[in-house]
Amino acid sequence: MGAAGSKLEKALGDQFPEGERYFGLENFGNTCYCNSVLQALYFCVPFREQLLDYYANNKSIGDVEENLLTCLADLFSQISSQKKKTGVIAPKRFVQRLKKQNELFRSYMHQDAHEFLNFLLNELVDILEKEAQAVKSDPETSSPSDKIANGPKNAQANGALKEPLVTWVHKNFQGILTNETRCLRCETVTARDETFFDLSLDIEQNSSITSCLKNFSSTETLNAEDKFFCDKCCSLQEAQKRMKIKKPPHILVIHLKRFKYIEQLGRYKKLSYRVVFPLELKLSNTMEDADSEYSLFAVVVHVGSGPNHGHYTFFGSAQEYSSNTDHGYILFYECLGSTSNKS
């Protein structure tokens, strides 16, 4: 490992980002899905920095219960504090806690990296919200823990309703989608907002991420059996429906829907379509009011022909995140063979 590490350092030379650590994670049989996501999150600089702040504020508190958040913070702290610039670390404590937390991850079956990311982010949010509520209910709580959620304190003034807690996980990954439906008879527009941590995009042959995003926000006509019930008309009417991004997240996670259920086969089949992805991505096709530009800093790749087997790898760099824009995006990308091409 030392020789490999020195070769990597020599290959990067002066381009090696100052203060960065490039560490691989040891695979415990089938934990490539977990390792690839953890590496992607580590190279998400704002998330990493806030997680390390959390670790610094809470490591001296003796009664902090071990959970996925503390295990992840401990792992990131181990990596960032290494004297060597490259190497390998075994995320044993985190994996043990993950298996203890959720029985789905206890077997040696192949797991989905995208589903794991969703589980992890939601679990981190739950932990932060519970800790913030505990701080609020205990006025004697020490000041370091008061920074746990890194969000508003939700104090109620004059009986006003409290605002929902916004954690640093929300601040990094959460965006808002608007689902607009226009009745074609009375032209009334019904809008419904929903939050999201990631976008799952349908793909087509010889397409691109930009075209997939455009299709995601394309107008769909609701007719025949799919007519929309208009509250103003008080009846089912033909309508046009569109999904658009109302508030883009700071970190955009894009998942390509590579697996499609084929009824004739009775199973999922992997779509070996060529999808081009850019290093700089604009959301002009999915937003009306503003253009948001994102730099690609992490790609999680699944190599294999089916959903129940294969291997996950990670490609990325913290330097790419901060090179041209304050926004970054993570891409979950699947391929059937070699991972050497960006297509």
Side-chain angles (χ1 to χ4, degrees):
M1 288 185 292
S6 62
K7 287 181 180 179
L8 176 60
E9 291 182 48
K10 289 179 181 179
L12 291 174
D14 296 336
Q15 296 181 0
F16 203 108
E18 185 177 355
E20 276 300 333
R21 298 293 182 268
Y22 285 0
F23 272 72
L25 300 177
E26 184 179 337
N27 191 357
F28 298 108
N30 72 323
T31 57
C32 58
Y33 71 93
C34 172
N35 291 348
S36 58
V37 169
L38 295 183
Q39 287 176 304
L41 290 176
Y42 184 81
F43 284 103
C44 179
V45 179
F47 176 83
R48 181 213 306 173
E49 291 177 345
Q50 288 162 330
L51 183 62
L52 292 176
D53 285 344
Y54 172 91
Y55 180 82
N57 290 332
N58 292 276
K59 65 180 180 180
S60 60
I61 303 175
D63 59 349
V64 174
E65 180 182 356
E66 180 182 281
N67 51 47
L68 282 178
L69 178 58
T70 60
C71 291
L72 183 62
D74 181 66
L75 174 63
F76 278 23
S77 177
Q78 286 183 50
I79 297 174
S80 63
S81 61
Q82 291 291 317
K83 293 182 179 179
K84 293 183 178 181
K85 293 182 178 181
T86 62
V88 178
I89 283 183
K92 189 173 182 180
R93 183 185 173 198
F94 180 87
V95 172
Q96 287 177 339
R97 184 67 207 182
L98 174 65
K99 292 182 177 182
K100 183 178 180 181
Q101 190 85 11
N102 192 321
E103 61 181 10
L104 178 67
F105 302 111
R106 294 173 193 168
S107 71
Y108 284 92
M109 295 179 62
H110 186 73
Q111 303 294 339
D112 185 274
H114 174 241
E115 291 181 359
F116 166 68
L117 175 64
N118 278 324
F119 166 78
L120 180 59
L121 292 182
N122 282 289
E123 186 67 24
L124 298 184
V125 166
D126 288 343
I127 294 170
L128 289 171
E129 288 178 343
K130 288 177 182 178
E131 290 182 347
Q133 290 299 324
V135 170
K136 182 183 176 183
S137 61
D138 184 6
E140 301 300 323
T141 304
S142 57
S143 57
S145 293
D146 201 27
K147 302 176 183 179
I148 285 176
N150 238 8
K153 298 178 187 286
N154 294 348
Q156 285 181 283
N158 298 324
L161 292 176
K162 59 182 180 180
E163 294 292 328
L165 180 68
V166 179
T167 70
W168 43 266
V169 177
H170 290 111
K171 291 179 179 180
N172 280 304
F173 294 100
Q174 183 173 275
I176 299 177
L177 288 172
T178 295
N179 192 336
E180 290 185 348
T181 306
R182 180 188 300 274
C183 175
L184 294 181
R185 181 185 179 187
C186 67
E187 297 294 325
T188 299
V189 176
T190 303
R192 177 173 56 87
D193 291 349
E194 58 184 82
T195 60
F196 70 95
F197 277 151
D198 68 288
L199 295 179
S200 288
L201 305 180
D202 291 313
I203 62 173
E204 297 178 348
Q205 182 66 277
N206 295 322
S207 58
S208 66
I209 295 294
T210 303
S211 64
C212 291
L213 283 168
K214 185 176 181 180
N215 291 336
F216 176 81
S217 292
S218 62
T219 301
E220 174 188 2
T221 300
L222 305 178
N223 52 26
E225 295 180 354
D226 297 325
K227 284 184 178 180
F228 169 73
F229 185 87
C230 177
D231 291 333
K232 186 173 182 179
C233 298
C234 295
S235 60
L236 292 172
Q237 297 293 334
E238 291 187 349
Q240 289 183 333
K241 180 181 178 182
R242 183 193 177 196
M243 185 80 76
K244 66 179 182 180
I245 297 177
K246 180 177 181 179
K247 180 182 178 182
H250 190 66
I251 307 298
L252 177 64
V253 178
I254 294 179
H255 167 244
L256 301 184
K257 297 163 73 172
R258 282 281 184 181
F259 296 104
K260 183 178 181 179
Y261 186 78
I262 309 298
E263 292 187 6
Q264 294 87 338
L265 301 177
R267 61 179 174 84
Y268 282 92
K269 179 183 178 181
K270 190 166 185 176
L271 304 176
S272 56
Y273 298 159
R274 181 177 184 270
V275 181
V276 178
F277 55 91
L279 295 180
E280 304 295 331
L281 176 68
K282 291 185 178 181
L283 297 183
S284 54
N285 291 322
T286 58
M287 295 184 63
E288 287 188 353
D289 299 330
D291 289 348
S292 294
E293 186 172 347
Y294 290 81
S295 290
L296 179 66
F297 69 92
V299 182
V300 176
V301 180
H302 175 266
V303 182
S305 59
N308 299 318
H309 55 84
H311 181 64
Y312 282 102
T313 57
F314 160 78
F315 299 90
S317 170
Q319 189 176 26
E320 294 296 337
Y321 177 88
S322 57
S323 59
N324 297 314
T325 177
D326 292 333
H327 294 76
Y329 83 98
I330 302 174
L331 176 64
F332 282 79
Y333 185 81
E334 292 86 8
C335 68
L336 289 170
S338 171
T339 61
S340 60
N341 297 321
K342 295 179 183 178
S343 58

